Amino acid sequence: MQGKLFIVPTPVGNLEDMTFRSVEVLRNADIILAEDTRTSSVLLHHYGIQGRLMSHHKFNEHQSVELIKERILQGSNVALVSDAGTPGISDPGFLLARACAAEGIEVQTLPGATACIPAIVSSGLPCDRFCFEGFLPQKKGRNAILASLAEETRTMIFYESPYRLAKTLEQFEDVFGGDRECSVAREISKIHETHHRGTLTELKQYFNENEPKGEIVIVVSGKPAEKKAEHRNKYKEQ
């Protein structure tokens, strides 16, 4: 009998954000695939889990997918975790999930921690409809993506490095307009969690004067329906 692939979310901050079911799945897994075995070992030790850890990250996932798939077909139950949050969401996981689904292997994704949902719900911006953009490309393709989002009416969610936050907010100001509402969430579910809300211009100025630290989620309101597309072509690909 073939095994299953379990995709298991892990805390983005507080270790107590694990669900009971996630802990049980990790305890019973034959193999636990980890983005960074050192990071995952801390979590497993916290819950007294002594599973067999294997490395599975963006640098080796293309090579390891077939091997893992074969292990599942031979009967192993495999659990996939990332350093924080839900695997596949800006983390390794998509390739393995696709390969297993194509092979007819059962893929069970457990509900659990992710940074984008707390960020948008806490922002006070509309969260009935939204688009998740994750990390924008640092160079090639970045301007084209921003230009394509100039007309987006849904709330937008981005992940960003604290080192690039101020520059990104400046780019957003150019593309979306300085009066667009925004929320910057930092260190979600951690001791020093903060949420800064205001216009893009206000937040750009704030973070130019106050250097941010930690994991960042930017939430930007969509384009109001009545506004004209004055920024549409500002950031076309060079």
Side-chain angles (χ1 to χ4, degrees):
M1 180 182 295
Q2 72 180 28
K4 300 177 183 178
L5 172 65
F6 295 90
I7 297 178
V8 183
T10 55
V12 296
N14 194 316
L15 291 180
E16 300 303 316
D17 288 341
M18 283 288 283
T19 66
F20 292 120
R21 184 183 173 207
S22 294
V23 172
E24 191 65 19
V25 166
L26 292 178
R27 281 183 177 150
N28 293 322
D30 298 303
I31 301 169
I32 299 174
L33 304 176
E35 184 178 4
D36 186 324
T37 55
R38 296 165 298 180
T39 300
S40 296
S41 291
V42 174
L43 176 69
L44 298 183
H45 177 75
H46 181 79
Y47 285 100
I49 299 170
Q50 298 180 338
R52 180 181 177 186
L53 275 172
M54 287 181 56
S55 180
H56 183 77
H57 48 72
K58 65 180 181 180
F59 300 110
N60 74 354
E61 60 179 338
H62 286 85
Q63 292 75 32
S64 61
V65 162
E66 288 300 316
L67 172 63
I68 296 164
K69 186 180 70 174
E70 289 304 314
R71 295 292 297 272
I72 297 174
L73 289 172
Q74 293 168 12
S76 294
N77 286 318
V78 173
L80 172 66
V81 298
S82 65
D83 289 349
T86 300
I89 305 299
S90 294
D91 284 316
F94 162 70
L95 290 177
L96 181 58
R98 180 175 66 177
C100 289
E103 193 70 34
I105 293 170
E106 184 174 352
V107 179
Q108 290 191 11
T109 301
L110 280 60
T114 186
C116 61
I117 299 303
I120 189 173
V121 174
S122 297
S123 72
L125 297 174
C127 52
D128 54 335
R129 297 177 66 247
F130 60 89
C131 62
F132 174 73
E133 295 298 323
F135 287 100
L136 292 171
Q138 292 186 36
K139 295 181 180 179
K140 186 177 180 180
R142 184 182 182 94
N143 291 345
I145 292 174
L146 287 174
S148 72
L149 293 172
E151 302 298 310
E152 179 58 67
T153 59
R154 297 170 295 177
T155 303
M156 297 169 282
I157 306 173
F158 305 87
Y159 288 164
E160 189 52 282
S161 160
Y163 308 108
R164 294 191 297 269
L165 176 60
K167 179 63 176 177
T168 294
L169 291 173
E170 182 178 345
Q171 290 179 317
F172 286 180
E173 179 186 41
D174 289 342
V175 177
F176 304 132
D179 60 347
R180 191 74 70 88
E181 290 183 272
C182 178
S183 173
V184 174
R186 186 182 69 86
E187 295 288 81
I188 287 175
S189 189
K190 298 180 182 177
I191 295 175
H192 301 293
E193 177 177 345
T194 61
H195 297 263
H196 294 274
R197 304 174 182 87
T199 65
L200 283 170
T201 296
E202 290 169 342
L203 292 181
K204 178 199 73 174
Q205 293 172 346
Y206 176 83
F207 285 109
N208 270 322
E209 298 169 1
N210 300 272
E211 183 179 357
K213 296 180 180 180
E215 302 294 328
I216 302 292
V217 184
I218 308 172
V219 183
V220 182
S221 63
K223 177 190 170 188
E226 68 275 9
K227 285 204 171 184
K228 294 182 180 180
E230 58 188 80
H231 301 280
R232 176 182 302 172
N233 298 317
K234 181 134 188 176
Y235 261 69
K236 284 188 174 178
E237 187 69 37
Q238 301 300 317

